[in-house]
Amino acid sequence: MNPMPKPPTMKDVAAAAGVALKTVSRHVNGATNIDPALAARIATAITELGYRHNLAAASIRPGRSAKVIGLVISDLANPYWSLLARSVERTLSENGYLLMTVSSEEDADRHRLLVDRLLAQRVDGLIVSPPRRDTTAWAAAAAPLLPVVAIDRPALSTPPPPAPVQDARADPEAPATSPTEPDLASNASAEAKRRPHPPLVDTILADNAGGAEAATRELLRHGARRILFLGDSLELYTMRERHAGFLRALKSPAAGADSSVATAHTAAEAADVLAALLGTGRIDAVFAANNRASIGAIEAFTRAGTRLPLIGFDDFESAALVRPAVSVVAQDVALMGEAAARAVLARLAGATPAPATTTLPTSLILRGSERP
Amino acid sequence: MNPMPKPPTMKDVAAAAGVALKTVSRHVNGATNIDPALAARIATAITELGYRHNLAAASIRPGRSAKVIGLVISDLANPYWSLLARSVERTLSENGYLLMTVSSEEDADRHRLLVDRLLAQRVDGLIVSPPRRDTTAWAAAAAPLLPVVAIDRPALSTPPPPAPVQDARADPEAPATSPTEPDLASNASAEAKRRPHPPLVDTILADNAGGAEAATRELLRHGARRILFLGDSLELYTMRERHAGFLRALKSPAAGADSSVATAHTAAEAADVLAALLGTGRIDAVFAANNRASIGAIEAFTRAGTRLPLIGFDDFESAALVRPAVSVVAQDVALMGEAAARAVLARLAGATPAPATTTLPTSLILRGSERP
DNA sequence: TTGTACGCGTTATCAG
DNA sequence: CTGATAACGCGTACAA
């Protein structure tokens, strides 16, 4: 009943089996050239002593590693990230790697801390969703040491736009809508700034702009003319991209369309913001830029006892269950996770191409909510 | 542009700063008694060389560890587990620990493999959801070495009942319903077998039976008399418990109630099974024993254009969004994760009480779907 | 306060 | 095919 009997070592096994340390090491590492008699004695000693290979100790030898990859995301509780983490873990585990997942909670300081901790732990590779205000320092510091992959958002090689976008930040009491003009202007600069340099590290992105554009076109096609972009802060890369796609669709031939922007972080906030707008007649359709916004929109519709045409970005569990079922722009999350894992594994296997950006297509899933 | 320049070591730092290895070690470990001049030289050398503390190497010293905890769950993609993992990670990270999460996919072999791998990695503690057919061997092997906590299901100290329960396993083509009798019988034995011995390891459970009983009583209160238990395989501990609670409610004074059991693993299967039963008049209410069954039930109702009173086990995203909103038995997942993390941390801090089982209460959230 | 020498558990070299 | 010996990067007596 000793609380913590210290685990037996190779030395113990060697002594018990009456062989040299190195022979045990060979046996443990699956070497074939061992006298069967000795191998048997060693195997017996191992099970009798309850010996377990110490990977942590083995990993300090040069050229050896613990076969662990780090994954830094913003929130494990969000289905988007947990699906991604699952996919990454699955691909890595097929290749003998373990995954360490940590959440930054969208906090840049905590993000740095976690990356540091993972590096100190000597992980073999890093898959990272860069924080909101990315200082790029983490990537520059880590990239030379080990394979690094940015996922969902690029590791900025230039700082983000100083004033993210002067959008009308709606607040529940006095939700403001802004005319199209300033948004279009800021969009132009966002477009110009898109990927000015080659990526710092391998990067896996979804086609946020393209997906948003397709969704917006679909709303326009059904007669929408005053569309609300309901999303999270435009400080977020994905939001900026989706907003850019949104505006790109509005600039198209089917002119005369107006737009406004409302910002909300949680589903409840989104519901409040939208509820306040519903009676005013200032909007006639909603593009929900993430799943929380979609859920908020449904709540607002339910509360108001009315609804507007709606398309959301990111599929979510409820989307097909509510009436009308919610049309969405879906990312192939599993594929993104697998791509990220494979990118790390490829470099671990020795490949050293120039860092590349992979943009995965999105798909528009129409379920009915896009119609008036 | 060297692919992998080997990271600088303490020795390099010591040489660059012109001090002894030990002094650098002290500096890195935050010792206070260092000549400020030397400390400054060391700090400079560290930043110039880009030195990072190697925790893996440090952890092989006796008494030291990498401060990593392993978490073995069945499926990260299930919101239940990702919420739990998030909660565990949060609590651990507040205490300086990192979390390694792996999915067993409900496969007992893979489960063993993963536990072995985590043990080889020399994690400091283990939080495990035991696999379906638990052979208890993993816990017996691991528990003497490090703090182990079983979560969601107990680590069986006796093998599971040989024939899990002779329930009427419904299949889509010819869904079978079984009279109450055999279930009641098998329930009696399940009741008798519940926790025959003290737990092998610290165990964190939800009150599955109590929650299911409360939900079933609520359905009975609204006039239900032929209730369907729609759930996953009764090989699963949680399913057995929920089924036991379900039957316990049916045995109560409000007699005359009948029941049947249908098994489905996915939401789609659950929908099919239920859809086939809906027209027959053999059931007048549904207890969905997990969130996938709940979602399947909603789908079946929608397809059939009708509905029955419904209560589900485990809250889920859509529950409040669909009409009527789905009443559920909710577990406090965050609390369970925190409790598991704290149990590990307590033992790591030196506490050595006898292994205990903590059963956390569930809450019945009534949203309307329980009514006819 | 600083440095020396050694050990942690494992693997690699290289001679038997 | 096997084994003594020297690393690996770091922490700790112990001595200076």
Side-chain angles (χ1 to χ4, degrees):
Chain A
M1 260 299 172
N2 257 350
M4 293 296 148
K6 64 184 54 178
T9 78
M10 265 193 187
K11 199 197 295 188
D12 302 327
V13 175
V19 299
L21 200 60
K22 177 59 189 163
T23 311
V24 179
S25 172
R26 271 198 278 263
H27 179 91
V28 167
N29 287 23
T32 55
N33 49 350
I34 300 182
D35 186 319
L38 293 193
R41 293 220 310 267
I42 293 173
T44 313
I46 286 182
T47 49
E48 294 218 331
L49 294 176
Y51 167 80
R52 314 189 89 92
H53 194 191
N54 186 337
L55 245 55
S59 72
I60 81 170
R61 302 313 311 291
R64 294 241 152 199
S65 83
K67 308 204 82 174
V68 175
I69 306 289
L71 173 66
V72 185
I73 60 180
S74 54
D75 182 12
L76 236 197
N78 187 319
Y80 175 80
W81 290 115
S82 60
L83 278 172
L84 191 77
R86 198 260 298 257
S87 170
V88 170
E89 196 230 317
R90 186 170 288 178
T91 304
L92 290 180
S93 120
E94 283 167 7
N95 289 269
Y97 282 82
L98 241 37
L99 183 64
M100 275 175 104
T101 308
V102 294
S103 297
S104 71
E105 320 274 340
E106 284 293 352
D107 178 330
D109 289 337
R110 181 167 160 76
H111 185 273
R112 279 219 70 146
L113 213 67
L114 291 172
V115 170
D116 270 3
R117 180 73 155 73
L118 256 10
L119 289 176
Q121 210 77 240
R122 289 299 192 271
V123 293
D124 300 304
L126 226 34
I127 301 175
V128 179
S129 169
R132 181 175 306 213
R133 295 179 173 275
D134 188 5
T135 55
T136 198
W138 69 267
L145 296 172
L146 39 53
V148 175
V149 172
I151 192 161
D152 186 56
R153 322 165 187 173
L156 296 180
S157 36
T158 57
V165 154
Q166 269 312 10
D167 67 295
R169 183 162 311 230
D171 81 75
E173 266 69 55
T177 61
S178 68
T180 304
E181 311 309 328
D183 285 338
L184 278 173
S186 71
N187 169 52
S189 80
E191 292 271 341
K193 272 179 191 162
R194 199 169 326 159
R195 268 169 244 134
H197 308 304
L200 207 55
V201 298
D202 285 330
T203 305
I204 314 289
L205 305 174
D207 183 11
N208 289 284
E213 183 177 357
T216 309
R217 281 193 200 287
E218 186 68 18
L219 289 173
L220 290 170
R221 207 168 68 76
H222 284 284
R225 284 301 172 268
R226 296 184 303 282
I227 310 181
L228 173 68
F229 180 95
L230 180 60
D232 205 334
S233 163
L234 290 179
E235 275 180 13
L236 290 166
Y237 166 81
T238 51
M239 284 298 140
R240 286 201 303 277
E241 286 292 310
R242 290 167 199 180
H243 187 243
F246 172 74
L247 293 179
R248 206 195 292 155
L250 292 176
K251 273 195 300 190
S252 72
D258 199 12
S259 79
S260 53
V261 174
T263 305
H265 182 59
T266 66
E269 282 171 26
D272 290 341
V273 170
L274 179 53
L277 281 169
L278 273 182
T280 67
R282 281 144 94 179
I283 59 174
D284 62 6
V286 177
F287 174 63
N290 66 16
N291 48 15
R292 290 189 299 272
S294 300
I295 290 171
I298 298 170
E299 284 177 7
F301 291 159
T302 304
R303 266 162 32 194
T306 176
R307 56 171 287 273
L308 294 176
L310 167 73
I311 300 185
F313 206 109
D314 277 344
D315 206 356
F316 57 107
E317 191 189 73
S318 342
L321 294 177
V322 295
R323 297 297 125 176
V326 178
S327 302
V328 295
V329 179
Q331 304 184 39
D332 192 338
V333 188
L335 192 57
M336 288 182 69
E338 190 183 329
R342 295 211 183 285
V344 169
L345 290 171
R347 286 190 189 271
L348 249 21
T352 58
T357 296
T358 305
T359 302
L360 272 44
T362 58
S363 54
L364 184 59
I365 303 179
L366 297 179
R367 298 194 173 105
S369 70
E370 75 279 11
R371 288 191 289 267
Chain B
M1 258 301 169
N2 256 350
M4 292 296 145
K6 63 184 55 177
T9 77
M10 265 193 187
K11 200 198 294 187
D12 302 327
V13 175
V19 298
L21 197 63
K22 173 60 190 161
T23 313
V24 180
S25 172
R26 270 199 279 262
H27 179 90
V28 167
N29 287 25
T32 55
N33 49 352
I34 300 181
D35 185 316
L38 293 192
R41 293 220 311 266
I42 293 173
T44 313
I46 286 182
T47 49
E48 295 218 331
L49 294 176
Y51 167 80
R52 315 190 87 93
H53 193 192
N54 186 337
L55 243 54
S59 73
I60 80 171
R61 304 309 311 287
R64 295 242 150 197
S65 85
K67 306 204 83 174
V68 175
I69 306 290
L71 172 66
V72 186
I73 59 180
S74 54
D75 182 11
L76 236 198
N78 187 318
Y80 174 79
W81 290 115
S82 59
L83 279 172
L84 191 77
R86 196 260 296 256
S87 169
V88 170
E89 196 230 318
R90 186 169 287 178
T91 303
L92 290 180
S93 122
E94 283 166 7
N95 290 269
Y97 282 82
L98 240 37
L99 183 64
M100 277 177 102
T101 308
V102 294
S103 295
S104 72
E105 320 273 338
E106 283 294 352
D107 177 331
D109 289 337
R110 182 166 160 76
H111 185 275
R112 280 218 68 147
L113 214 66
L114 291 172
V115 170
D116 269 4
R117 181 73 156 75
L118 256 10
L119 253 26
Q121 210 76 239
R122 289 301 191 271
V123 293
D124 300 305
L126 225 36
I127 301 176
V128 179
S129 168
R132 181 175 306 214
R133 295 179 174 276
D134 188 5
T135 55
T136 199
W138 67 268
L145 296 173
L146 39 52
V148 175
V149 172
I151 192 161
D152 185 56
R153 322 166 187 172
L156 296 179
S157 35
T158 57
V165 155
Q166 268 311 10
D167 67 295
R169 183 162 313 231
D171 81 76
E173 266 70 54
T177 62
S178 68
T180 304
E181 311 310 328
D183 285 339
L184 279 173
S186 71
N187 169 53
S189 79
E191 292 271 341
K193 272 178 191 163
R194 199 166 329 158
R195 271 172 241 132
H197 308 305
L200 206 56
V201 298
D202 285 329
T203 305
I204 314 289
L205 305 174
D207 182 12
N208 289 284
E213 184 178 357
T216 308
R217 282 192 200 287
E218 185 68 19
L219 289 173
L220 290 170
R221 207 169 67 77
H222 285 283
R225 284 299 172 269
R226 295 185 304 283
I227 311 181
L228 173 69
F229 180 94
L230 180 60
D232 205 334
S233 163
L234 290 180
E235 274 179 15
L236 290 166
Y237 166 82
T238 51
M239 284 299 141
R240 286 200 304 277
E241 287 291 309
R242 291 168 198 178
H243 187 243
F246 171 76
L247 293 178
R248 206 195 292 154
L250 292 176
K251 273 194 302 190
S252 72
D258 200 11
S259 80
S260 54
V261 173
T263 305
H265 182 60
T266 67
E269 282 170 28
D272 289 341
V273 170
L274 179 53
L277 282 168
L278 273 182
T280 67
R282 282 143 95 180
I283 58 172
D284 62 6
V286 177
F287 174 64
N290 65 16
N291 49 14
R292 290 189 298 272
S294 300
I295 290 172
I298 298 171
E299 284 177 8
F301 291 159
T302 304
R303 263 156 44 188
T306 175
R307 56 172 288 273
L308 294 176
L310 167 73
I311 301 185
F313 206 108
D314 277 345
D315 207 355
F316 57 107
E317 191 188 73
S318 342
L321 293 177
V322 295
R323 297 298 123 177
V326 178
S327 302
V328 296
V329 178
Q331 304 184 40
D332 192 337
V333 187
L335 191 58
M336 287 182 70
E338 190 183 328
R342 294 211 183 286
V344 169
L345 290 171
R347 286 189 189 271
L348 285 174
T352 57
T357 295
T358 305
T359 302
L360 271 44
T362 58
S363 55
L364 185 58
I365 302 179
L366 296 179
R367 299 194 173 106
S369 71
E370 74 279 11
R371 288 190 289 268

